[in-house]
Amino acid sequence: MKFEPERRPLTGETLDSLAASLAERGEKPFRARQVLDWVYKKRARSWDDMTNLPKALRTWLAETYRLMPASLVLNRHSADVTDKLLLELEDRSLIETVIIRAPQDGVGLDHSRKTICISTQVGCAMGCVFCASGLAGLKRDMSAGEIVAQLLQVCYAEDARTPRARSELASFDNIVVMGMGEPLANYDALIRALTIVNADWGLGFGARRITVSTSGLVPKILRLAEEPLGFRLAISLHGATDPVRTQIMPVNKAFPLAKLLPAVKAFTERHGRMVTLEFILIEEVNDSLDQARSLRDIALDLHAHVNLIPYNTVAGLPWKRPSGTRQVAFASILERAGVSVTLRREKGHDIAAACGQLRLKTEREREEAPSGAQVSS
Ligand code: SF4
């Protein structure tokens, strides 16, 4: 499922692909780097900003490419230090990009650690029962240019917050591909986008600070392990035994733990870096102490870090967050065994569960609004 726009997004071009297009019209090779410099380093917001390009070239670029394929609909800054950017793509599809500010050590009050959570699909086909993003199914894959555009929009939003000092993407600590969609189901666009994000002619963001999160598409995990750039991997586990995981994540029928865990191990052995197991704690679904013990055994075997995320309620879904006591009892079983574990406490950190709710709400308002009416925030 793809959307074919009239003009290709410039943010989906690599240095080579843009140089090839420019060469076809007789432009010198250095022009491609000059154009991309305007996009990523100088953050031009219009073709006319690109003042060192000949006027005829600017006109051709404007006719051929779309400079920014995602526009900001609203930026919701919440008290728990999460910014949610709601972005509209050219076909009016809505996506969410989230900025999360957290303490460097996970417990302090400084909130100087900054992570960006990006989306890769409009909707999601994976059908995890607790997730707002998957509620309406998959609408379409995002293009590489749309995926990259989210990060430029984050830069624009940060610039607006601190108008005097332009914020560089490098000032963020991490990018997590953990927003709407299953990233590995849109594999080629994902890798192209992350190549652009990583490249020195692109956003220049280190691959080791980029984490790709998957619900468990085993063949694609093995493919990702072979990618030369060496991204980090997180697994949305959410169930430590097959019966529990299948109950909430349909992907477990095709790729049960007996297939998933060896693939994760192969990835770890290939890269020598710790994988993260994401585990959303849902009351009376996966928060039993037996689940904690099974999760402990998996984490020890994989030498994985465990990220426990108390569930964030989604309107229209019945699932609940376990009590604080239950969360701590669950985490203690892992801690006592020496597992590296984080128990998220701030509300805004519940990326996977919370992500998609703003989009869902806005989509519903749009459906209810008379044709042509604008939806307010
Ligand atoms: S949790 Fe992730 S994979 Fe599952 S439905 Fe939501 S977006 Fe898709």
Side-chain angles (χ1 to χ4, degrees):
M1 261 172 282
K2 280 204 173 83
F3 165 65
E4 297 290 350
E6 252 173 55
R7 290 175 294 155
R8 304 196 293 273
L10 187 59
T11 45
E13 296 297 322
T14 63
L15 183 63
D16 287 349
S17 67
L18 183 60
S21 296
L22 290 170
E24 274 176 29
R25 69 182 307 275
E27 297 290 345
K28 296 267 180 351
F30 72 88
R31 288 289 185 208
R33 196 173 273 269
Q34 228 176 7
V35 171
L36 295 180
D37 257 14
W38 276 112
V39 177
Y40 297 112
K41 308 287 187 295
K42 301 176 190 157
R43 292 221 271 279
R45 303 289 288 269
S46 87
W47 301 105
D48 287 336
D49 289 345
M50 303 183 182
T51 45
N52 62 356
L53 302 183
K55 179 89 176 76
L57 176 55
R58 274 185 271 155
T59 304
W60 178 80
L61 285 167
E63 286 166 0
T64 311
Y65 295 103
R66 191 161 173 110
L67 187 53
M68 172 45 71
S71 52
L72 183 68
V73 177
L74 67 99
N75 179 352
R76 181 161 291 171
H77 180 71
S78 64
D80 61 1
V81 296
T82 301
D83 279 10
K84 283 190 177 185
L85 309 188
L86 186 67
L87 303 175
E88 185 178 70
L89 307 178
E90 273 185 88
D91 62 350
R92 295 201 75 215
S93 291
L94 295 171
I95 57 160
E96 275 182 36
T97 307
V98 185
I99 303 170
I100 306 129
R101 296 182 178 79
Q104 287 292 342
D105 59 2
V107 291
L109 296 171
D110 60 287
H111 293 118
S112 61
R113 185 177 171 80
K114 294 191 294 179
T115 299
I116 308 166
C117 178
I118 59 173
S119 299
T120 50
Q121 295 183 306
V122 181
C124 185
M126 304 311 291
C128 305
V129 299
F130 49 81
C131 173
S133 293
L135 271 182
L138 176 68
K139 185 171 174 191
R140 69 171 174 88
D141 286 337
M142 287 168 64
S143 69
E146 289 170 336
I147 296 170
V148 174
Q150 296 172 82
L151 295 163
L152 273 176
Q153 285 289 355
V154 166
C155 292
Y156 299 163
E158 289 290 282
D159 290 349
R161 275 167 65 92
T162 49
R164 284 208 205 143
R166 209 180 63 176
S167 142
E168 296 304 328
L169 199 69
S171 73
F172 285 84
D173 295 276
N174 300 293
I175 294 171
V176 292
V177 190
M178 208 176 275
M180 184 164 49
E182 163 52 64
L184 297 187
N186 187 14
Y187 193 91
D188 292 341
L190 170 78
I191 297 301
R192 188 178 176 97
L194 295 185
T195 301
I196 295 167
V197 171
N198 172 256
D200 65 342
W201 46 260
L203 286 162
F205 198 89
R208 288 168 183 230
R209 293 193 287 148
I210 300 174
T211 301
V212 176
S213 174
T214 177
S215 61
L217 299 183
V218 167
K220 300 288 175 60
I221 292 172
L222 297 172
R223 197 169 154 197
L224 189 70
E226 299 306 317
E227 291 293 338
L229 284 178
F231 305 110
R232 288 181 174 271
L233 179 69
I235 303 293
S236 295
L237 196 65
H238 311 323
T241 54
D242 280 325
V244 170
R245 192 163 195 262
T246 302
Q247 188 193 341
I248 52 178
M249 298 183 73
V251 67
N252 199 64
K253 288 182 203 141
F255 302 113
L257 295 173
K259 289 185 179 169
L260 174 61
L261 300 180
V264 178
K265 199 165 209 175
F267 187 98
T268 311
E269 281 165 6
R270 181 87 173 77
H271 288 279
R273 257 177 267 133
M274 211 178 220
V275 166
T276 298
L277 304 176
E278 305 285 342
F279 204 95
I280 295 178
L281 286 170
I282 310 173
E283 188 179 75
E284 289 181 13
V285 173
N286 63 0
D287 66 338
S288 72
L289 300 187
D290 277 348
Q291 280 290 294
R293 287 183 205 103
S294 298
L295 179 57
R296 170 198 65 195
D297 295 345
I298 291 170
L300 287 173
D301 185 46
L302 295 174
H303 303 292
H305 175 77
V306 174
N307 199 11
L308 296 175
I309 309 161
Y311 186 65
N312 233 12
T313 311
V314 173
L317 294 181
W319 318 103
K320 289 194 191 123
R321 163 185 291 230
S323 69
T325 317
R326 188 62 155 182
Q327 295 170 28
V328 170
F330 194 101
S332 301
I333 287 179
L334 291 115
E335 266 166 0
R336 280 204 301 272
V339 174
S340 163
V341 57
T342 313
L343 173 60
R344 295 285 186 210
R345 289 173 197 282
E346 294 95 329
K347 272 200 260 169
H349 291 193
D350 306 15
I351 305 168
C355 187
Q357 295 198 60
L358 185 57
R359 168 198 174 240
L360 202 64
K361 177 174 172 287
T362 312
E363 293 255 354
R364 282 176 181 160
E365 284 171 2
R366 271 185 176 177
E367 279 163 20
E368 284 158 18
S371 172
Q374 294 293 309
V375 174
S376 66
S377 52

